[in-house]
Structure formats: structure tokens, C-alpha cells
Amino acid sequence: MTSTISKRGQNDQLDKPKKSAKGRGGAPKKRIRREVHVKVRLKTTERFLIESKARQAGMRISDWVREATLKAKVVSRLTAEDRRVLHMLAGMANNLNQLTKLAHTSGMLTIAIRCGSLLEEIDQALKYLNSDDGKDT
């Protein structure tokens, strides 16, 4: 340790003051450490949009993305049952086109009854697809 004598005749220490017994200063350790990283590739425009939304919210980009992903509502893809109903609906549309062609050639009265039942089936299929859980038919 180096010391000098001041005008008052006392020794002044030139070295830095001693650190605490723990040895380190700085910010306290975080209780929860995020150790898992997820890498996402973005276009420049997507990155700019995320940055601007985070800035508007007064958040860092990582905090904003974390909140957005945790609170996002995810719409699932079509289930096997939904695909089956869509396939059936396409078949019914084909049948309707055939009935229309038949109505032009053979007359309207015989076709009207068949069209009514087919339209009812199409209506039921559309109600199924438009319902949230697929149970509302």
C-alpha cells in the first residue's frame, strides 16, 4: 500500500478502498435465470415491426416477444374429421352441379326434391365447419 503525508500530517491512502468480504460488487444475481434460447429467423420488415411494437409498449424486444408468445391464441390446423367433412362438402358441391345440369335437361320438378335434401346436407356440413369445437351440428 502506498501512502502520502497530507498538509495536516496524516497518512492518506492512495489505494482504492477494500471491497466487501464477498469480493464482488455489481447488480445482485437474478433469482430466475433464463438459460434456454430460441432462435427465430425473421425478414427485415418483421424485425422492424416487432421492434416498433416493443418500443410502443416500452419493453425490450426479448420481453415483448416472450409476452406475445405466452399470451398468443393458436388456431390449430384441420383435424382428420375436419378434412373428412371438407371432402364430403366438395363431393356435395359436385352433386349439386350434376343436379343443375340434369335440371336443365330433364325438368325442374323432379330435381327440386333432390336439391332440397342436398342443400340441407350442405347446410349441416357448413354449420359443423363454422362451429368452434366441431360439435355444433
Side-chain angles (χ1 to χ4, degrees):
M1 212 190 283
T2 308
S3 63
T4 61
I5 299 176
S6 67
K7 291 182 181 180
R8 289 189 245 158
Q10 299 172 348
N11 288 341
D12 291 335
Q13 302 295 326
L14 294 180
D15 291 339
K16 295 178 182 175
K18 290 185 178 182
K19 293 183 179 179
S20 66
K22 293 185 180 180
R24 287 194 242 160
K29 293 213 175 226
K30 294 180 180 178
R31 290 183 183 203
I32 299 173
R33 182 178 168 108
R34 292 184 171 96
E35 297 173 346
V36 179
H37 299 269
V38 176
K39 187 173 183 176
V40 178
R41 295 186 182 270
L42 300 171
K43 297 179 200 172
T44 306
T45 54
E46 293 170 335
R47 168 75 188 222
F48 178 74
L49 182 64
I50 290 172
E51 283 176 348
S52 65
K53 287 184 177 185
R55 196 176 313 113
Q56 287 174 355
M59 302 171 80
R60 294 182 315 185
I61 294 172
S62 58
D63 293 334
W64 186 88
V65 169
R66 189 177 303 111
E67 286 292 321
T69 55
L70 292 175
K71 293 182 178 178
K73 179 182 178 190
V74 177
V75 178
S76 61
R77 295 179 182 217
L78 294 177
T79 63
E81 179 69 15
D82 291 341
R83 285 192 299 274
R84 185 187 67 76
V85 170
L86 282 174
H87 182 71
M88 183 176 67
L89 188 59
M92 285 187 254
N94 187 34
N95 289 345
L96 185 59
N97 285 335
Q98 291 174 357
L99 287 173
T100 304
K101 184 177 179 181
L102 186 62
H104 287 291
T105 58
S106 68
M108 295 295 271
L109 187 57
T110 57
I111 304 304
I113 297 169
R114 292 169 71 185
C115 282
S117 67
L118 184 58
L119 287 173
E120 184 64 35
E121 288 180 44
I122 291 172
D123 186 49
Q124 291 295 321
L126 289 174
K127 283 182 184 176
Y128 172 83
L129 288 174
N130 287 331
S131 67
D132 287 336
D133 57 0
K135 306 272 190 273
D136 192 20
T137 55

